[in-house]
Amino acid sequence: MFYLRRAAIAALGAALYGSMPTIAAEPVGEAVRIRTAVTGSAGPLAVRDAVHRDEQIRTSRSGLGQFVFRDGSKLAVGAGSSVVIDKFVFDDSKSVQKLTVAAAKGTFRWISGNSKHSAYQILTPAGTIGVRGTAFDFYIGDDGTTAIVLLEGAARFCGPSGCQQLTQRCDCVIAKRNGAMTDTHRASRRTLATLGNRKALPFLSGDQKLSASFASMSGSCGISAAIEVKPTTPERAQPPEKASPPKAPRPGKTPSNEPGKRGLDKGKKGQDTGKKGQDAGKKGQDSGKNGQLETGTTKGRG
């Protein structure tokens, strides 16, 4: 696969520049870990594929690429990122005279290799990171906002308004395209809130996992706590509603608001009506009986 990609990049260089395709195809390192989708100038990258000078590396929204350069330097490229190995000047002592990485957006971890500190330079939209024998994470938002968190060694961030030194573990600087820059301060759970992106530093927050050789720096600088889900506050129990006092009955009437009782009252009225009818029938029978008695008595007397 290495030779196929090299040939493809050489052909791409010939098409773009018309000459010297071997410069565009110069290998500067290789991929050591690929997750989901990571692409280079010639297409998808796989483990052990070479990466080349001037090659743009991009990751998908869930992608992760880990790369080792020829001098032992390491670069992890997190989800939704874009970066170009802009300059790479290699010498014969297994070190580089110049290694410049131009990062456009996304999340990254840098770990220095065997070269002199002055050989490394990382370009961002908000300024330049100068490496001093270092390991650090950095993030670039869609608007160019850049944050750097130091993990080992020392670093310096320089923008249009000046420079800030990072000398202690977890030192942090946040800068804007317009030159606005914070003082060096300690990273904390507020850092992601300031950046407005809970996935801004995924290697520290734990949102993305690196292999052991890239994750040797222990601790998260307090950023992992920033993505913990807070427990939901239980709702307060509502007090029971007070029953409304019954309405006073009208004089001469004892109505009931209860449907069952109203039905019983109606049934009782029906029974009373039936009883009255029975009483009326009984009176009629008594009247007929009296009439018979009177008639018989009259006839007997005659």
Side-chain angles (χ1 to χ4, degrees):
M1 182 172 287
F2 167 77
Y3 297 103
L4 292 175
R5 292 193 71 254
R6 184 168 183 175
I9 292 175
L12 178 63
L16 292 175
Y17 302 106
S19 63
M20 299 182 69
T22 55
I23 296 177
E26 179 187 0
V28 298
E30 70 174 11
V32 295
R33 189 183 189 195
I34 299 293
R35 290 290 181 270
T36 309
V38 182
T39 60
S41 299
L45 288 169
V47 174
R48 296 185 181 179
D49 276 353
V51 292
H52 302 80
R53 183 164 65 88
D54 298 327
E55 183 172 12
Q56 183 180 30
I57 298 169
R58 291 172 294 178
T59 59
S60 66
R61 291 183 179 181
S62 59
L64 171 64
Q66 295 179 199
F67 304 92
V68 176
F69 299 110
R70 292 170 64 180
D71 73 328
S73 299
K74 299 174 183 177
L75 178 67
V77 184
S81 302
S82 176
V83 64
V84 175
I85 312 305
D86 190 50
K87 294 179 181 178
F88 190 92
V89 181
F90 193 74
D91 59 26
D92 296 331
S93 59
K94 295 185 178 180
S95 63
V96 294
Q97 297 177 9
K98 192 70 174 179
L99 174 54
T100 301
V101 175
K105 67 173 183 176
T107 59
F108 309 88
R109 172 166 291 182
W110 171 267
I111 302 173
S112 296
N114 302 320
S115 304
K116 294 180 180 179
H117 304 159
S118 58
Y120 303 118
Q121 190 177 52
I122 296 176
L123 308 179
T124 78
T128 302
I129 304 173
V131 181
R132 300 289 182 269
T134 312
F136 55 82
D137 283 9
F138 63 104
Y139 160 78
I140 302 169
D142 292 336
D143 63 351
T145 297
T146 301
I148 174 175
V149 178
L150 183 69
L151 301 177
E152 288 182 359
R156 181 176 65 177
F157 188 90
C158 293
S161 61
C163 298
Q164 292 289 338
Q165 304 291 333
L166 297 91
T167 59
Q168 302 292 325
R169 175 176 169 78
C170 299
D171 274 357
C172 177
V173 171
I174 300 175
K176 302 281 188 179
R177 279 183 184 269
N178 61 8
M181 186 189 308
T182 68
D183 292 333
T184 301
H185 60 282
R186 185 172 180 82
S188 70
R189 63 179 61 190
R190 294 190 299 271
T191 302
L192 299 186
T194 301
L195 295 172
N197 183 355
R198 65 181 293 273
K199 295 184 177 182
L201 296 162
F203 308 138
L204 291 175
S205 68
D207 197 63
Q208 283 192 301
K209 302 294 185 182
L210 297 172
S211 60
S213 62
F214 280 73
S216 58
M217 290 67 64
S218 61
S220 66
C221 294
I223 291 177
S224 62
I227 64 169
E228 291 179 359
V229 179
K230 296 182 179 179
T232 305
T233 304
E235 297 182 0
R236 295 182 179 179
Q238 297 294 329
E241 295 183 0
K242 294 182 179 181
S244 301
K247 295 182 179 179
R250 295 180 181 179
K253 294 184 179 181
T254 56
S256 173
N257 292 328
E258 299 178 7
K261 191 172 183 182
R262 287 201 299 266
L264 292 173
D265 291 341
K266 289 182 180 180
K268 188 175 181 181
K269 287 181 181 179
Q271 291 176 358
D272 292 342
T273 302
K275 188 175 181 181
K276 288 178 181 179
Q278 291 176 358
D279 292 341
K282 187 176 181 181
K283 287 180 180 180
Q285 291 176 0
D286 291 341
S287 298
K289 187 176 181 182
N290 289 336
Q292 291 176 357
L293 290 173
E294 290 176 1
T295 304
T297 302
T298 303
K299 287 181 180 182
R301 287 179 183 177

